[in-house]
Amino acid sequence: MRNALLFALALLTGPLSGCGSIDNAPLRVGTVRGRLTQSDPTLAVVAVVGAPEISTAVGPDGHWELAGVPAGESELFVLASSDSATRIPVHVDGARAVELGDVAPRPGGFLQLEVATPGQMALSNASVSVEGTPLRKLKLEKTGRARVGPLPEGCYEIAVTAAGFPVSAQQSCVTPGEQKPLKVELADDPSYAQRGCQYSGCVAGAVCAADGRCVECTGDTQCAAGFKCKNDRCEGSGKLCAACSGDWQCGKNTLCRPLPEGGSACLVPCTGAGTCSSAGFACVEGSCVPDGSRRPATCAGYQVLGGACTEDAECQARGLEGGVCASGSCGLSCTDNAQCPDGSSCGKGSTPVCSALP
C-alpha cells in the first residue's frame, strides 16, 4: 500500500520536477493599459520603443491596452494625433497588468528632412524610418524632402532607404513643438556607383552619360538655342540677364552671378554706385541688375522681351510685368524711348511697344 501511494505521488509531481517542461512565457510579458486625454483614433497608436511590432490602436474614447510588453523596464512610444505624442517609461511585472490611468500627450517635434544625392543622381523608391518607433517606411518626395513626426521629446536614429544607394542613418534629437532641419547625404558607395544613373536616373535638368554619371548634356540637342555641348556641359554666349549655371554660359564682359530675387544670370560686374553703364541697371552686391527705374524691373522680365506669344497674359505670367503681346512678340507699351530698357527703343504705330533687345 505504501509503495503504491509513493508511486502515485511520483506521477503527480514528476512533470513539475523538470524546469524545461514549465511554460514560463506568460511570466516574461505583461499588459499595460491607459487612456489618452486627447487623441485622433484614426492615427493614434501605442508601441514599445525598440520593438514597434508590439503595438496597439487607440479606441474612440482614448482607451488602449497593450499586451505582450516585456517584463522589466520598458518605454512606450505614444502617437496621439497629427501633432502630439509622448513617451512613457513603464515597469512591467510578468503576467500582470499595469494601469497608467490618464495620459496627456504633448506637442510633438518634427524633423524637416532633406535628402541629397551625389552627382545629381535621382531619388526613386525612397523612404525614411525612425528606428525603433511605429514611424517606418514613410515615403519621400522626389525632391528628397519629408516632414517626419510628430516625435516625442528625445533622440532618434533616422534611416533613409533609396534605390541604388546604401542605407544612410543619422541621429537627431527634438524638443516639444520644434521644427528641426535635418540634412542627410546619401553615400556614394562604389558597389552602387558602378551602376550609377543607369540604375537610379538623374535629377531634372541632367542626363545620364554612358559612364553612369549625371551630366548637363551629352549632345547639342540637349542644350538651349545658341549653346553647344562641350565637356558634358552646355557652353555658349548668353545675353545679358540670361539664366546660367556657370561663366561658360555667358557672353563677353558678363559673368554668371546670383540675382537678388534668386537664381543666377549673366550680369556685368560692378564696383559700386554709378558704375553700371546700362540705363535702368544698378550695382547690387557687385553686379549690375535691373533696378526698376526702367521697365522691366527684373532679369526674368528682361529676358521675356521679344519672346513669342499669343496673348498679353502669357508675357505677364513669364515675368514681364505690364507686358503686352504685339505682332506675336512680348513687349512693353511705351510713348518714348525713355520708357524702354537700355538697348531697345519705342516703336511706332497704333500700339507702340519697346522693341526686342539684341
Side-chain angles (χ1 to χ4, degrees):
M1 181 68 178
R2 174 181 173 82
N3 289 338
L5 180 61
L6 290 175
F7 180 72
L9 289 173
L11 289 176
L12 292 172
T13 59
L16 300 177
S17 62
C19 293
S21 62
I22 299 177
D23 184 7
N24 290 320
L27 301 178
R28 294 195 293 268
V29 297
T31 300
V32 182
R33 303 190 186 100
R35 185 184 79 89
L36 294 180
T37 57
Q38 292 181 332
S39 65
D40 179 349
T42 64
L43 297 174
V45 64
V46 180
V48 175
V49 174
E53 65 278 5
I54 305 175
S55 64
T56 186
V58 177
D61 59 356
H63 282 92
W64 52 270
E65 180 176 307
L66 181 61
V69 180
E73 303 298 328
S74 293
E75 191 174 18
L76 304 184
F77 183 102
V78 180
L79 177 63
S81 67
S82 61
D83 58 7
S84 62
T86 190
R87 284 168 68 161
I88 311 171
V90 294
H91 177 82
V92 176
D93 291 325
R96 297 186 62 182
V98 178
E99 300 288 347
L100 295 181
D102 286 351
V103 175
R106 302 182 64 191
F110 287 86
L111 295 174
Q112 304 290 356
L113 180 66
E114 182 179 353
V115 178
T117 59
Q120 303 185 81
M121 295 174 71
L123 276 176
S124 60
N125 298 323
S127 64
V128 56
S129 297
V130 182
E131 299 293 358
T133 79
L135 300 178
R136 295 178 289 179
K137 296 184 178 180
L138 308 176
K139 293 297 182 183
L140 280 173
E141 300 175 4
K142 289 184 178 181
T143 57
R145 298 178 183 274
R147 186 170 183 256
V148 182
L151 294 169
E153 181 175 14
C155 297
Y156 302 89
E157 182 172 289
I158 312 302
V160 177
T161 302
F165 299 95
V167 176
S168 182
Q170 189 167 323
Q171 285 200 341
S172 187
C173 303
V174 294
T175 56
E178 182 179 15
Q179 303 285 331
K180 185 175 183 179
L182 176 64
K183 187 169 184 176
V184 175
E185 295 188 4
L186 298 183
D188 191 6
D189 189 280
S191 62
Y192 288 84
Q194 289 175 0
R195 293 178 289 183
C197 56
Q198 295 165 351
Y199 182 83
S200 68
C202 299
V203 299
V207 295
C208 189
D211 59 3
R213 293 181 302 115
C214 291
V215 296
E216 186 177 358
C217 62
T218 56
D220 293 346
T221 57
Q222 294 160 342
C223 298
F227 290 81
K228 292 186 178 297
C229 187
K230 296 180 180 179
N231 301 315
D232 299 327
R233 66 188 189 187
C234 296
E235 298 186 3
S237 300
K239 298 191 298 182
L240 179 65
C241 265
C244 61
S245 56
D247 292 342
W248 60 88
Q249 294 182 326
C250 296
K252 186 178 180 180
N253 300 325
T254 63
L255 298 174
C256 190
R257 296 286 184 86
L259 290 165
E261 64 267 26
S264 298
C266 297
L267 303 173
V268 177
C270 57
T271 56
T275 59
C276 294
S277 59
S278 297
F281 283 73
C283 189
V284 178
E285 297 183 355
S287 299
C288 294
V289 297
D291 67 353
S293 63
R294 291 194 185 186
R295 301 172 299 164
T298 65
C299 264
Y302 197 88
Q303 280 297 298
V304 176
L305 277 174
C309 61
T310 55
E311 58 182 359
D312 296 350
E314 186 178 350
C315 302
Q316 296 166 14
R318 288 162 56 191
L320 185 58
E321 185 177 352
V324 296
C325 184
S327 302
S329 298
C330 290
L332 288 167
S333 297
C334 59
T335 56
D336 55 53
N337 292 341
Q339 296 178 326
C340 295
D342 195 45
S344 69
S345 58
C346 186
K348 297 180 180 181
S350 58
T351 308
V353 295
C354 298
S355 63
L357 294 164

